[in-house]
Amino acid sequence: MNNALKIIEFMKIAEQLCLVERDNLMSSGRQETDADHIFKLAFLVLMVQPYLKHPADYGKMLELALVHDLVEARSGDYSLSAQMADPSLRAQKKAKEREAALYYQEVLPPPLNDKIYDLFMEYETRQTREAKLVWALDKLEANLQANRFHDGDVRYWAECENGNIYYQMAVTKKPQIKDLDEEIISELEEAIIKLSEENIKKCNISLCR
């Protein structure tokens, strides 16, 4: 019964992910939450898995997708644009997230405590193919969602903290995706960049190349 109570207590942490807001807006205009993002990322893993050329553990990828932002239930979210504008925020973010991961390791019963901690560290260090794949899909999902508000009205990006950075990021290919040598993921990147370029043009926004 002690394990059941610990799991119930831990589910409070999972519920907090439904409250942590991100910069992206949903198509309705509601602020996206970590839980929204994780849900869509898990589906993206499901969608690409049949088309991967190289072997990857599908179950591990789903676990990584579920756990990758779990620490933000305690640490909160730091927007990427804000981190790029102020590099000290990235160090603060990493320290708080590591602290949260260690807290989860302490409060969860074994073997869950080590499993959650190990999954988080695997994603952070990206030493496995599964972690690299989920990292790439995480970035693609975020860029895709950024284009969903009001059928591509991306003017709101500029209203985010240091949000003008998002326009350049949205149309820039990531070398980590090329290194994966996965046609389906490269095709997704190209399609989402094209969508971003179309929406930026539609909103009469000029990019400095």
Side-chain angles (χ1 to χ4, degrees), residues 45 48-56 61 129 133 182 184-185:
V45 170
V48 305
Q49 190 273 335
Y51 308 107
L52 295 176
K53 293 192 306 180
H54 305 290
M61 288 176 66
R129 182 160 187 83
L133 287 165
E182 288 291 355
I184 183 62
I185 296 181

Side-chain angles (χ1 to χ4, degrees), residues 146-164:
N147 284 277
R148 293 299 194 200
F149 173 61
H150 285 184
D151 195 28
D153 186 350
V154 297
R155 290 173 294 180
Y156 80 92
W157 297 356
E159 299 172 5
C160 301
E161 184 180 9
N162 305 304
N164 284 320

Side-chain angles (χ1 to χ4, degrees), residues 81-143:
S81 60
Q83 292 179 58
M84 293 178 70
D86 182 359
S88 68
L89 285 180
R90 182 164 182 80
Q92 294 177 34
K93 174 181 185 291
K94 291 298 180 184
K96 287 187 176 182
E97 289 183 346
R98 179 66 184 274
E99 181 182 314
L102 289 170
Y103 171 78
Y104 299 157
Q105 190 179 34
E106 179 182 341
V107 299
L108 272 170
L112 285 174
N113 56 346
D114 289 337
K115 180 174 180 121
I116 295 296
Y117 179 82
D118 290 345
L119 283 168
F120 172 73
M121 293 307 298
E122 180 176 346
Y123 180 80
E124 284 293 288
T125 57
R126 294 197 292 278
Q127 296 300 306
T128 64
R129 182 160 187 83
E130 289 79 9
K132 292 174 182 177
L133 287 165
V134 175
W135 181 90
L137 294 173
D138 170 67
K139 305 310 176 191
L140 293 178
E141 194 290 314
N143 197 6

